Amino acid sequence: MQMKSTLIQKLDDKQAIIGIVGLGYVGLPLTIRYCEVGYKVIGFDIDPTKISVLEQGKSYIEHIPGSAIQAAVAQGFEATTDFSRVSEADALIICVPTPLNQYREPDLSFVTNTTDALLPYLRPGQVVSLESTTYPGTTDEELLPRVESTGLKVGENAFLVYSPEREDPGNANFSTRTIPKVCGGFTPACLEVGMALYGQVIDRVVPVSSTRAAELTKLLENIHRAVNIGLVNEMKIVADKMGIDIHEVIRAAATKPFGFVPYYPGPGLGGHCIPIDPFYLTWKAREYGVHTRFIELAGEVNSAMPDYVIAKVGAGLNALKKSINGSRVLALGISYKKNVDDMRESPSVMLMEKLRDLGADVSYSDPHVPVFPKMRRHKFDLSSVPLDYETIASYDCVLLATDHDKFDYELIKKAAKLIVDTRGRYLQPSPHIIKA
Ligand SMILES: NC(=O)c1ccc[n+]([C@@H]2O[C@H](COP(=O)([O-])OP(=O)(O)OC[C@H]3O[C@@H](n4cnc5c(N)ncnc54)[C@H](O)[C@@H]3O)[C@@H](O)[C@H]2O)c1
């Protein structure tokens, strides 16, 4: 009881030291937010390059300016690979990746390795919060026994919560502060501590009854997106066969003020969340003998999109008496969504690979990705091509994969011989624009 009150008091008074573990797309904005309101933050990461960039007051994420890092450092922010400093922190917030393995099953190794790295330095009076997206049961099945293996008793002298991140990089309408945050505790005391942990930095913290409810909340949000994108991708194919522009239809349907939420078709699912998270639930549901049919079906439809787009490229070139083999194709936009530099699971890369395999000479242009980065499963020795009239005109096909606002769409329309538009960016029909 005493431990809980002392920790809550420290959090309320902003005297608590916040440890953020994993300084990526989720951990870094959270760090900045805690610093903004006056907490001292220690950031932990296993990547020494990130630590040294932060030490120089610089950022490695495009939408986070160096000035925000410098302001955090002025507020006492330190980044380190030294986990022995975990004992200095009153709160430890884990923001590490939760990918799928080669069998498309959850790979929790980052979460479990990180937790194991914290264990030797945990002490009474700390709260551990997991933010990584994961299946229901992760916090109480994986984190709880580990934390209690140190002799601590969760709910009494240590506190455990799950609070999923809802970061939306590149979305100018919402910030870490204004996105409501769901929080579940392993015990009621844990939840109280969790509410205090986030209450000072997030405008609205939404309590739920358990860590499992919080875990499933995050998955429901992302499954809802994946399934609706699958639906609209299927509608796109039907509309195309009927000679109807799906984007016109979505725009019209979106004028209904209730009961309809617009989702947009695209060349495939991208990013760290939507193509991956639903399968965390699929895997866990098997343990309960439940088959998640909507998730599988949406996955099937969405993962067929790159081939659908390639067929459209082939058809467009064919109409010009050309083949993909030997054609020069320029992919526009290679990050997974518009206006960001994040390449994770980008469908553009899959399109580029498929075109290259079919014999196309592939280039790309992306104002957010000047050089094709090193990726685990993909390799292109390419730099972004400048978008002037002559360059655009020199390609047989321009494939609009990610519709960044920085592109000059009028110029592209004027200069290109053939445009395959996967994002519905071009509203007016034109003989040299194919919707895909
Ligand atoms: N990126 C998003 O928009 C977003 C949104 C909502 C939820 N999420 C979820 O948040 C989690 C983190 O995602 P992210 O996008 O920040 O990932 P990220 O890859 O950008 O960052 C993760 C960081 O963790 C570090 N790391 C890995 N293992 C570590 C360890 N053992 N100890 C300390 N640091 C370690 C990595 O070096 C990296 O800096 C994932 O579960 C993801 O699904 C991400």
Side-chain angles (χ1 to χ4, degrees):
M1 230 20 207
Q2 183 56 38
M3 281 271 162
K4 183 190 77 178
S5 325
T6 312
L7 180 54
I8 290 179
Q9 194 61 53
K10 264 183 156 179
L11 288 162
D12 287 348
D13 295 345
K14 298 178 188 149
Q15 295 304 311
I17 296 179
I18 310 294
I20 308 273
V21 192
L23 299 170
Y25 282 89
V26 167
L28 200 54
L30 199 60
T31 296
I32 290 167
R33 179 65 195 138
Y34 273 101
C35 291
E36 260 171 22
V37 301
Y39 287 94
K40 169 160 172 56
V41 177
I42 306 176
F44 298 90
D45 206 290
I46 50 169
D47 181 351
T49 330
K50 285 201 171 105
I51 303 299
S52 89
V53 173
L54 293 172
E55 276 169 350
Q56 295 163 44
K58 293 185 190 154
S59 168
Y60 37 75
I61 295 177
E62 193 192 27
H63 64 273
I64 297 178
S67 56
I69 308 295
Q70 290 148 28
V73 171
Q75 187 60 43
F77 168 55
E78 292 173 81
T80 181
T81 55
D82 176 7
F83 277 65
S84 71
R85 297 197 57 194
V86 159
S87 57
E88 291 174 40
D90 299 291
L92 291 150
I93 303 181
I94 302 174
C95 314
V96 296
T98 41
L100 294 173
N101 67 18
Q102 70 204 90
Y103 306 108
R104 298 197 67 71
E105 290 172 345
D107 173 5
L108 270 193
S109 61
F110 292 92
V111 171
T112 52
N113 289 344
T114 304
T115 311
D116 288 341
L118 302 180
L119 294 185
Y121 311 106
L122 291 185
R123 56 162 175 82
Q126 289 174 311
V127 53
V128 175
S129 173
L130 178 63
E131 295 218 1
S132 307
T133 307
T134 187
Y135 57 78
T138 306
T139 308
D140 59 43
E141 290 168 4
E142 297 293 339
L143 269 69
L144 178 74
R146 284 179 163 80
V147 170
E148 293 203 329
S149 73
T150 63
L152 291 164
K153 183 81 184 118
V154 169
E156 288 176 14
N157 63 357
F159 304 92
L160 188 56
V161 300
Y162 179 79
S163 180
E165 182 49 58
R166 282 173 165 165
E167 192 68 22
D168 186 15
N171 186 335
N173 298 324
F174 296 98
S175 64
T176 306
R177 174 176 75 79
T178 59
I179 302 172
K181 201 159 181 6
V182 170
C183 184
F186 180 65
T187 68
C190 294
L191 177 58
E192 266 184 77
V193 174
M195 297 298 285
L197 171 61
Y198 292 109
Q200 303 284 342
V201 289
I202 310 285
D203 286 352
R204 181 167 171 231
V205 187
V206 182
V208 292
S209 63
S210 63
T211 50
R212 287 178 174 236
E215 287 159 338
L216 189 55
T217 302
K218 173 70 186 181
L219 289 186
L220 173 63
E221 291 165 15
N222 285 356
I223 290 164
H224 165 95
R225 265 190 81 70
V227 168
N228 279 288
I229 293 169
L231 172 67
V232 87
N233 274 331
E234 189 172 83
M235 292 290 287
K236 167 177 83 172
I237 297 171
V238 177
D240 184 64
K241 290 273 185 210
M242 294 177 168
I244 302 167
D245 179 352
I246 187 67
H247 290 275
E248 182 189 357
V249 172
I250 296 168
R251 281 196 301 279
T255 60
K256 185 179 176 189
F258 46 83
F260 182 83
V261 179
Y263 286 87
Y264 300 94
L269 290 186
H272 187 283
C273 298
I274 307 301
I276 292 169
D277 301 346
F279 295 98
Y280 268 68
L281 188 67
T282 297
W283 179 82
K284 191 65 178 176
R286 272 187 224 131
E287 190 183 311
Y288 296 83
V290 181
H291 186 50
T292 56
R293 286 174 294 167
F294 272 104
I295 295 175
E296 299 285 3
L297 182 59
E300 201 180 303
V301 173
N302 291 328
S303 60
M305 283 306 115
D307 282 332
Y308 176 79
V309 172
I310 298 297
K312 288 285 185 185
V313 172
L317 287 168
N318 190 55
L320 300 173
K321 299 192 167 34
K322 287 184 178 147
S323 61
I324 290 178
N325 194 351
S327 284
R328 298 184 73 234
V329 180
L330 177 64
L332 291 186
I334 61 165
S335 60
Y336 83 85
K337 71 171 182 179
K338 67 196 258 177
N339 304 337
V340 301
D341 61 348
D342 192 343
M343 294 285 293
R344 289 178 290 177
E345 306 286 324
S346 172
S348 311
V349 177
M350 208 178 287
L351 294 173
M352 287 169 69
E353 267 173 357
K354 283 180 184 286
L355 288 167
R356 182 174 62 185
D357 290 349
L358 290 167
D361 176 2
V362 182
S363 312
Y364 85 91
S365 183
D366 192 316
H368 301 277
V369 190
V371 176
F372 195 97
K374 279 202 186 77
M375 297 181 81
R376 250 187 311 147
R377 288 195 293 263
H378 314 281
K379 191 174 182 312
F380 280 93
D381 289 319
L382 294 174
S383 299
S384 176
V385 164
L387 277 192
D388 52 65
Y389 189 98
E390 287 69 33
T391 310
I392 299 167
S394 71
Y395 287 92
D396 300 302
C397 174
V398 172
L399 172 58
L400 178 53
T402 302
D403 54 338
H404 295 308
D405 290 339
K406 283 189 180 164
F407 288 135
D408 182 342
Y409 290 96
E410 266 316 296
L411 175 74
I412 295 164
K413 187 176 174 182
K414 269 195 213 121
K417 295 184 184 109
L418 167 67
I419 299 174
V420 176
D421 177 6
T422 70
R423 299 288 181 173
R425 187 81 195 199
Y426 289 101
L427 303 184
Q428 298 307 323
S430 170
H432 74 308
I433 300 177
I434 293 181
K435 299 268 172 75

